[in-house]
Amino acid sequence: MKFTKIRASDFNLEKTLNSGQVFHWEKVGDGFVGTIGEFPVYMEQHRGFLRTKMEGGAPATRPAQGAASPGSQEFAPPVRELVTHYFALDHPLAEICDSFPKDPVMNAARDFCHGLRIIRQPKWECLATFICSSMKQVAHIRQISLALRKRFGEQRRIGNHLVHTFASPRRLAQASEKELRDCKLGYRAKNLRATARLVSSGEADLEAWSALSDAELRKQLCALPGVGPKIANCVMLFAYERQRAFPIDVWIERVLRQHYFSPRKKMTAQRLREFSETYFGEHGGYAQQYLFHHARMRWRRHWSTPQSS
């Protein structure tokens, strides 16, 4: 299995994968191993290029006439196209970053997160993962995601490494609440199972929702069990590419209150949402991800550094 070399200028693989968008990629040697949809992938970055291997990945050519059964190399998507789409290497990142407000906090986050891109995630995988994320830290979400994959997903091999796809909505709809709780979901198990049933039955048509306006899409997502405004905005941003969506979690709320408003001024959640939508503009989702990752990494460095008495 040979490497495919993909040009990836203005891109930072490690920052993108570790920025709290996805939770299943694992560091292996000089690169990362995981899945993009159904396909196991290994990739590493060397300056402005990605070196990628994908089990079952076809070269960037058309399938042969009368190719073999589905799942063969001929039927798999070309590696270059799959990776380029997943990591949004077509996004005009310099233009997006230039659209950010020019305040000190945003400037620092933009400089720190240089090369971080918003991943285009599979819709069900993204929705289910963020339902599991409610009131959880990134490390805990990662544990839940990996547990769900190992128990309910399908095993794949890439080189010497085993990875697992994310479980289908039908598979999770058939699981018992106890089985889901065994994956450390707690109260989230009931919501995940209920939403999986709606999606697997077709009552919640995630693909068809792509045609909805932002307001209508948010409304449909918030009607699902376990989905509130924050999770809806995460799914809109990461799965539906709605770049104005601005998820507000505890990290972002802290950043907004500390740096954008007087400490004496009372700010409701609604007021924070209204401010974010207008102040950060059409690429607010990118701005939010940069602020979020920068804040988390600053906090981590602060508490990992010995404090003087």
Side-chain angles (χ1 to χ4, degrees), residues 268-279:
T268 64
Q270 178 63 28
R271 179 70 184 93
L272 288 175
R273 285 196 295 270
E274 291 172 353
F275 167 80
S276 301
E277 289 174 2
T278 56
Y279 183 74

Side-chain angles (χ1 to χ4, degrees), residues 124-191:
W124 163 246
E125 178 180 321
C126 181
L127 171 62
T129 300
F130 278 96
I131 288 175
C132 299
S133 76
S134 177
M135 303 300 290
K136 286 287 188 180
Q137 296 179 2
V138 169
H140 298 149
I141 305 169
R142 177 178 174 77
Q143 291 171 3
I144 291 172
S145 175
L146 292 174
L148 285 172
R149 287 169 179 271
K150 289 179 180 178
R151 183 152 188 173
F152 301 106
E154 295 183 6
Q155 184 174 284
R156 298 283 192 270
R157 180 179 292 277
I158 178 75
N160 296 323
H161 305 285
L162 291 178
V163 294
H164 296 80
T165 64
F166 194 81
S168 68
R170 180 180 298 277
R171 180 67 185 90
L172 292 183
Q174 293 171 344
S176 69
E177 187 173 328
K178 181 184 181 303
E179 287 177 313
L180 294 175
R181 284 180 175 270
D182 287 343
C183 294
K184 310 300 181 184
L185 268 72
Y187 70 87
R188 302 161 197 81
K190 183 177 181 180
N191 291 330

